[in-house]
Amino acid sequence: MYAITIERPGGPEVLRWTEVPDPAPAAGEVLIEVAAAGVNRADALQRQGNYPPPKDAPPYPGMEVSGRIRELGEGVHGWHVGQEVCALIGGGGYAELAVAPAGQVLPVPKGVSVVDAAGLPEVAATVFSNVVDVARLKPGETLLVHGGGSGVGTFSVQLGKALGATVVATARAVKRERLLELGAERVIDYTAEDFSQSVRADVILDIMGGSYLKQNVDALKVGGRLVVIGLQGGRRGELDLGQLLAKRATVVGTTLRSRSAAEKAAIVRGVREEVWPLVEEGIVRPLIHDRFPMGEAAEAHRLLESSEHFGKILLTR
């Protein structure tokens, strides 16, 4: 088969469409003929040499795919060859074939194409596990979403609204109207306004890390929960523990890729039970900014790193 390989750590130009050995499903796994793969920030970090894949994952980037099952590994039940699916995987999605643990496979939701379904597993699992499982967002609470125009951001706005929360997002002004259409109550242009001066949130979903730590704690309500899922603004920040104590607030850091197969399977079950019905009803939907042929992964990465996109970027076969 062919897959996108990383010639050496570096910029998008190091991505190559290369012939590599075909994967084979082990016990408990399925082999998927890939229709599309989602492009994520973690893929760019891996390309740069800053985020190696798990030891048991292929060295090719790509943490979510959609397509059709080609082969079932030993002991796999509940799936069949030819079925349209999407899956959360540890790596290897930028390829013609990909292997996924059966517990991390989802059916393509009704009303979503098999290609566009590639834009769902990573964001759905990320948002559900953090906003619902970790932060326990409740109806009537306020959810602040940073990076509102990203794949995670656009999904968070929709899911937060569907769960009965008031959603506030930070994004560039050019993305404001589309985020309001998705269900955000308010959009703050982070280039012109300090969100911590005008927002008080019960839950904050943060992709920035260190550079936003103080402002995020400032913006929390009493009993608020800050969930950090990215470090685009750096690894270090100053935390006023007195303020944290006074607010009885919680700061949590999480990742998805490094979790065990059992933990990921539990998250995927939750997504299927609680999020997939919302997708099939059209209440939450994948937002696809653009689709690139698999061999043009470099161009997809350039767009991702420009932050000019709104929603997900896909690579297609």
Side-chain angles (χ1 to χ4, degrees):
M1 73 166 186
Y2 277 81
I4 290 291
T5 60
I6 301 172
E7 189 176 53
R8 63 185 183 282
E13 69 280 355
V14 305
L15 300 175
R16 295 282 185 270
W17 188 233
T18 308
E19 191 169 8
V20 300
D22 287 1
E29 296 180 334
V30 302
L31 180 65
I32 299 172
E33 184 176 345
V34 175
V39 178
N40 292 283
R41 290 277 177 183
D43 302 334
L45 291 172
Q46 180 177 335
R47 187 204 72 223
Q48 295 162 6
N50 296 324
Y51 195 13
K55 291 181 180 179
D56 58 348
Y60 328 124
M63 302 188 301
E64 57 183 345
V65 296
S66 63
R68 295 168 182 83
I69 294 177
R70 176 179 283 194
E71 186 180 342
L72 301 177
E74 183 181 352
V76 174
H77 304 286
W79 304 102
H80 60 81
V81 172
Q83 186 173 358
E84 292 187 345
V85 296
C86 54
L88 180 71
I89 58 178
Y94 292 14
E96 294 179 314
L97 299 169
V99 168
Q104 294 168 216
V105 177
L106 290 154
V108 170
K110 295 174 184 177
V112 178
S113 72
V114 67
V115 168
D116 287 358
L120 284 171
E122 180 72 19
V123 294
T126 295
V127 176
F128 176 80
S129 64
N130 288 293
V131 172
V132 178
D133 277 355
V134 174
R136 302 292 182 186
L137 180 70
K138 301 178 183 66
E141 291 189 324
T142 297
L143 169 65
L144 172 60
V145 177
H146 291 306
S150 67
V152 166
T154 54
F155 200 89
S156 299
V157 169
Q158 295 179 85
L159 185 60
K161 176 74 171 179
L163 293 175
T166 297
V167 183
V168 180
T170 61
R172 295 178 183 176
V174 69
K175 301 179 181 181
R176 178 179 181 275
E177 291 304 320
R178 296 186 68 183
L179 284 166
L180 293 175
E181 290 171 3
L182 282 185
E185 184 78 16
R186 183 180 170 201
V187 179
I188 297 172
D189 181 357
Y190 61 86
T191 68
E193 182 181 349
D194 181 354
F195 67 87
S196 69
Q197 299 301 307
S198 59
V199 179
R200 291 297 175 263
D202 299 282
V203 175
I204 301 176
L205 188 64
D206 177 50
I207 60 171
M208 296 304 294
S211 65
Y212 271 22
L213 182 58
K214 182 183 183 304
Q215 290 168 285
N216 279 330
V217 175
D218 286 346
L220 283 175
K221 292 181 180 179
V222 172
R225 291 86 75 196
L226 165 62
V227 185
V228 181
I229 62 170
L231 300 173
Q232 293 181 37
R235 299 165 61 94
R236 299 180 183 276
E238 186 171 303
L239 179 61
D240 183 340
L241 291 175
Q243 185 182 25
L244 197 69
L245 292 173
K247 290 191 173 187
R248 303 190 299 280
T250 303
V251 178
V252 181
T254 75
T255 62
L256 181 61
R257 191 181 198 184
S258 61
R259 295 187 189 219
S260 69
E263 289 177 301
K264 290 179 183 177
I267 291 169
V268 168
R269 283 196 301 272
V271 167
R272 185 168 182 176
E273 293 170 3
E274 299 190 39
V275 179
W276 248 224
L278 298 174
V279 176
E280 294 188 338
E281 292 172 28
I283 297 170
V284 176
R285 64 188 192 278
L287 268 291
I288 310 301
H289 179 89
D290 208 350
R291 304 165 185 82
F292 292 83
M294 195 76 72
E296 296 179 13
E299 289 304 311
H301 274 225
R302 290 187 182 99
L303 175 58
L304 178 77
E305 293 177 319
S306 75
S307 295
E308 296 298 327
H309 59 294
F310 187 83
K312 295 288 294 190
I313 301 166
L314 303 182
L315 296 174
T316 63
R317 288 277 315 287

